[in-house]
Structures are given as C-alpha cells and as structure tokens.
Amino acid sequence: MAAVSMRQALTAGLPQLSRDLSEAQLDTLCQFGEALLAKNQVMNLTAITEPQQVAQLHFLDCIALLGAANFYGKSVIDVGCGAGFPGVPLKVAEPSIQLTLLDSLKKRMDWLGQVLPQLEIEAQCVSARAEEYALEHREQYDIAVSRAVARLTMLAELCLPLGRVGGQFIAMKSADSDDEISQAAHAISLLGGKVTRIWDYAVPGTDAVHRAVVISKVKATPKPYPRRFAKIKQQPL
C-alpha cells in the first residue's frame, strides 16, 4: 500500500513540476521510499513517515530543484545528505547526474551504500565531514546541493569550496529566508560566490512553498576556507 500511495502522489504532482518520469523511474522512487520507511523502524532517517507525504515532501520537493538549474550531465555533490535528500530523487529523475552523497554519519551512509546498488541507483556514498572532504576534493563539482538545516552562512563555507569556478551551490531553504540570505551575503562573496537566483516554488499536493537559493561560483574560494567546523560554528563569516 505504501508504494501505491507514493506512486499516486508522484503521478499527481510531477506535472506541476513539468516533469515526466518513466514507469521504471517511478518504480525506483517508490522502492526507495519503501526501503526508507522500513529502515526508519530501526534507524532515525526521517520524521516523515506517511507514504503520501514521503512522495510529496521528500521526492517532489527535491525533484523541483531540477527547475532551478541545468543538472544534465553535471557532477553533483549532496552535502549533509542525511537519508539521501535531495541527491537520490535528483539522480532518479535525471540519470545523467554523476552523484556524490556526503554525510558525516557513517550508519546512514552504510545504509545508502547498501540499498542504492540494489535499486540500480549509481552514486558514490562518502562518510566524512564536508570541511575535511574539501581538503582533497576542492573545486571538483559542477553543482553542490544541500537540504541541511544549518544557516546559509555556515552552509556556504561548507559547500562553496567544493564547487568549481563556473559551477553552482544550491541551498534548499524556506520561503521566509530573506534575512538569512542577507546575513550570508558577506560570506558568500568572500568564498567566491554570488547569489544569482532566488526561486520560490510550491510543493505539489501541499500548502508548502519552499525556496532554492542559487549561488554561482564566480571565483576561486580562498585557501583558508573551509575552516575547522568548530571554528565555522563559533565564528561564522
């Protein structure tokens, strides 16, 4: 029944995002949703446990990002991916993406590393802190995305160093994040970024309006950044 509810919500909502997924893609998303809810019984992966809401507030919300930028053929890193959001739905909906999932919690990444191959979802699953991963993978990605709950000033320092010049960092935020964006302006500029689009969108089937903050990487991030996480937290830019 869970898969049926998820499929119905996806089928109803995708046209509002101007997306048309194949039957196989819908199957994959629903199977991932079922695996997520099953694992959630023993591991804290999501507070959203109603199948229809999983489809709406996880899958459709994440797929909506495809309307914020051109993801086709891009190398994408999902920073602080948690249970795989937004990266996994993006990869299923746009298979040309070369996806890296990054999170510091090893148990989550071990689960993703096990379940994704079973669903034939290709992704590199990395258990590491973003500021440490950036030491060896600096400016290697076309697009960095994050649905993490950290404020944009901190997220910018964790994500912008990973993006190549000419690439983008896309932060998923609430529609009332104007003050947060303004407060992050100095950090974004210092780190080599520039806000080039603020895109609000309705999540199909819900009353929620979410926001994608698109930050273009216009110059290289200075070498001292990112700093150690304790420093980022104690002294935001």
Side-chain angles (χ1 to χ4, degrees):
M1 281 300 294
V4 173
S5 296
M6 284 186 276
R7 196 182 192 94
Q8 289 174 342
L10 287 168
T11 301
L14 283 166
Q16 297 175 51
L17 302 177
S18 300
R19 296 288 150 191
D20 183 19
L21 301 190
S22 69
E23 293 299 314
Q25 287 170 303
L26 291 171
D27 286 343
T28 300
L29 280 173
C30 292
Q31 288 166 12
F32 180 67
E34 287 184 311
L36 172 75
L37 292 177
K39 191 65 176 180
N40 201 56
Q41 304 281 333
V42 294
M43 183 188 298
N44 182 24
L45 293 173
T46 176
I48 300 169
T49 57
E50 202 280 313
Q52 179 179 326
Q53 292 188 338
V54 169
Q56 293 166 339
L57 295 174
H58 280 324
F59 298 159
L60 292 172
D61 184 34
C62 295
I63 291 170
L65 279 195
L66 294 174
N70 178 18
F71 281 81
Y72 183 80
K74 301 294 175 64
S75 57
V76 176
I77 183 165
D78 181 353
V79 179
C81 69
F85 303 111
V88 172
L90 287 173
K91 172 66 177 178
V92 174
E94 181 47 76
S96 69
I97 288 172
Q98 302 160 52
L99 178 63
T100 298
L101 297 168
L102 178 67
D103 198 276
S104 61
L105 192 60
K106 188 175 184 299
K107 287 194 295 184
R108 283 185 192 149
M109 301 316 293
D110 287 346
W111 173 72
L112 285 167
Q114 180 182 39
V115 74
L116 295 184
Q118 295 172 1
L119 301 177
E120 299 183 351
I121 301 172
E122 293 184 8
Q124 181 183 15
C125 298
V126 180
S127 176
R129 300 195 67 90
E131 71 277 12
E132 295 169 356
Y133 187 75
L135 295 175
E136 295 184 11
H137 301 85
R138 190 179 192 84
E139 302 191 335
Q140 291 188 5
Y141 294 90
D142 296 317
I143 301 177
V145 295
S146 184
R147 201 188 186 198
V149 295
R151 291 186 65 79
L152 189 55
T153 301
M154 293 175 60
L155 275 182
E157 187 167 354
L158 295 172
C159 296
L160 275 170
L162 292 163
R164 65 170 179 81
V165 176
Q168 295 166 308
F169 162 43
I170 305 175
M172 298 179 73
K173 287 290 175 181
S174 66
D176 61 354
S177 55
D178 290 345
D179 288 345
E180 183 179 344
I181 295 169
S182 296
Q183 291 165 11
H186 170 71
I188 290 168
S189 178
L190 178 63
L191 296 162
K194 180 181 180 181
V195 176
T196 50
R197 186 180 185 191
I198 296 175
W199 182 56
D200 293 349
Y201 60 92
V203 180
T206 77
D207 295 328
V209 177
H210 291 171
R211 171 172 289 176
V213 183
V214 182
I215 301 168
S216 295
K217 184 78 173 279
V218 296
K219 59 183 179 181
T221 301
K223 283 290 166 58
Y225 305 103
R227 300 165 295 166
R228 290 179 295 106
F229 186 73
K231 197 79 168 178
I232 295 173
K233 191 174 181 179
Q234 290 169 2
Q235 298 179 359
L237 294 175

